[in-house]
């Protein structure tokens, strides 16, 4: 099968096409003929080698943690899924490929296209995990740094659905986008503390850092301490006494299915930019640069 691999750590240029054997599903796994693969900032950090201590890599490595596609083989003991089912879920073997193995998948609604389906698993799980970790509730104000990306797009909507107010930071080009999602938008950078205080005179109840670009000190100032500040992107968190949340605490087929249904009927909006599989290096270069609106997705086949 055709896939994208890297044989050494480095920039996006280390990604290249390769032909490898089609994987065979083990117990509890399904094999999926991939139609679309979600691309995450984590993919580039693993490719660069900066997360080797957390995510050990065996070369050649296939990037990608989420997919949407058609089930074409079942491992022993699989129940509730049939060959031919359209699904979305988390990849066990890397999703930048024509075929991938998965243990946890959910049905893809017919009204949800492949790219928008592939945009949901990682972003949805991450957004919910952090909102739950912070205990976000109705009537509270949440500050989200870098809120216009794939996780932020869902986090803004899920937080406002809980009855919270979201102040979201992004670049000048994404201010209207954040407002369309239901956030109060402001730009990041110098003067952020003053801008947020003007927007929330009574303070912010929690801070979700999705950007990892030096906003933790401002977050501590705004919160008056480190309580209820969570980052998924700034590796200085521990030295500052802030919670770093990484990796899925729990992946749920049922919750993913519900999120997919909400996306299919427009209750939850996802925004995607697609690249063909053979342009994975270009897509990761865009991701590495930041400022992505919504989600980057690779289309396969």
């Amino acid at each position: 099968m055709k896939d994208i691999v890297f044989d050494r750590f480095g920039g996006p240029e280390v990604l290249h096409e390769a032909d490898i054997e089609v994987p065979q599903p083990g117990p509890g796994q399904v094999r999926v003929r991939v139609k679309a693969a979600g691309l995450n900032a984590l993919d580039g950090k693993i490719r660069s080698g900066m997360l080797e201590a957390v995510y050990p890599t065996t070369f050649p490595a296939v990037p990608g943690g989420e997919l949407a596609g058609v089930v074409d083989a079942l491992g022993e003991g699989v129940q509730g899924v049939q060959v031919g089912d359209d699904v979305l879920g988390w990849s066990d073997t890397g999703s930048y490929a024509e075929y991938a193995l998965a243990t946890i998948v959910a049905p893809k609604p017919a009204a949800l296209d492949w790219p928008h389906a592939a945009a949901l698993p990682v972003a949805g799980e991450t957004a919910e995990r952090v909102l739950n970790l912070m205990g976000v509730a109705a009537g509270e104000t949440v500050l989200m740094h870098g809120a216009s990306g794939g996780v932020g797009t869902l986090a803004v909507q899920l937080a406002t659905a809980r009855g919270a107010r979201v102040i979201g930071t992004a670049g000048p080009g994404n201010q209207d986008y954040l407002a369309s999602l239901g956030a109060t938008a402001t730009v990041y950078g110098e003067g952020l503390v003053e801008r947020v205080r003007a927007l929330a005179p009574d303070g912010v109840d929690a801070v979700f850092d999705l950007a990892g670009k030096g906003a933790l000190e401002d977050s501590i100032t705004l919160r008056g301490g480190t309580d209820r500040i969570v980052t998924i992107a700034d590796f200085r968190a521990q030295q500052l006494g802030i919670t770093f949340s990484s990796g899925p605490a729990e992946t749920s087929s049922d919750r993913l299915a519900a999120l997919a249904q909400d996306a299919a009927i427009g209750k939850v909006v996802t925004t995607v930019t697609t690249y063909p599989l053979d342009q994975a290096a270009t897509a990761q270069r865009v991701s590495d640069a930041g400022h992505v609106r919504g989600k980057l997705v690779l289309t396969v086949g």
Side-chain angles (χ1 to χ4, degrees):
M1 69 174 184
K2 180 191 298 183
D3 63 358
I4 300 295
V5 303
F6 59 105
D7 310 292
R8 57 188 173 88
F9 295 126
E13 69 278 357
V14 303
L15 298 174
H16 62 89
E17 289 189 51
D19 286 317
I20 64 174
E21 291 186 7
V22 175
Q24 300 303 314
Q29 290 182 315
V30 300
R31 186 171 68 206
V32 178
R33 180 161 52 84
V34 180
K35 294 292 188 179
L39 191 151
N40 296 283
L42 178 65
D43 301 348
K45 293 173 182 176
I46 292 174
R47 181 215 68 230
S48 73
M50 69 181 295
L51 295 183
E52 179 62 8
V54 181
Y55 298 97
T57 303
T58 300
F59 297 127
V62 179
E66 61 191 334
L67 53 76
V70 182
V71 174
D72 90 318
L74 305 176
E76 182 181 353
V78 172
Q79 297 181 343
V81 183
Q82 302 294 327
V83 170
D85 285 355
D86 294 347
V87 298
L88 63 154
W90 293 269
S91 171
D92 298 338
T93 54
S95 58
Y96 293 21
E98 291 183 318
Y99 292 88
L101 302 182
T103 302
I104 300 177
V105 295
K108 184 191 80 68
L112 188 64
D113 66 21
W114 296 115
H116 286 83
L120 293 175
V122 169
E125 186 281 328
T126 303
E128 284 202 317
R129 168 170 29 99
V130 174
L131 293 177
N132 290 339
L133 188 58
M134 296 190 302
V136 173
E140 294 189 318
T141 297
V142 183
L143 174 62
M144 296 188 186
H145 299 298
S148 63
V151 177
T153 292
L154 290 181
V156 168
Q157 295 173 82
L158 294 177
T160 55
R162 296 184 181 200
R165 179 194 181 201
V166 175
I167 298 174
T169 76
N174 281 321
Q175 297 293 295
D176 289 344
Y177 177 68
L178 284 184
S180 75
L181 298 174
T184 300
T186 190
V187 293
Y188 50 75
E190 187 176 350
L192 177 65
V193 170
E194 291 72 21
R195 288 193 296 279
V196 172
R197 282 177 172 165
L199 293 169
D202 295 329
V204 297
D205 299 291
V207 181
F208 184 179
D209 172 38
L210 305 100
K213 296 184 177 179
L216 294 185
E217 288 84 356
D218 284 349
S219 301
I220 293 170
T221 298
L222 288 163
R223 285 285 300 134
T226 60
D227 181 51
R228 297 184 80 187
I229 303 174
V230 177
T231 181
I232 61 170
D234 196 324
F235 296 101
R236 300 175 304 129
Q238 185 174 7
Q239 68 191 63
L240 293 172
I242 287 171
T243 299
F244 186 97
S245 184
S246 66
E250 180 180 351
T251 50
S252 166
S253 176
D254 289 343
R255 181 63 196 116
L256 180 57
L259 182 62
Q261 287 290 348
D262 285 347
I265 64 174
K267 186 177 179 180
V268 168
V269 176
T270 54
T271 301
V272 302
T273 301
T274 61
Y275 292 82
L277 181 64
D278 61 9
Q279 291 184 21
T282 298
Q284 279 204 2
R285 189 169 288 108
V286 171
S287 176
D288 289 354
H291 312 295
V292 173
R293 177 181 294 186
K295 186 87 167 188
L296 303 178
V297 174
L298 302 176
T299 55
V300 185

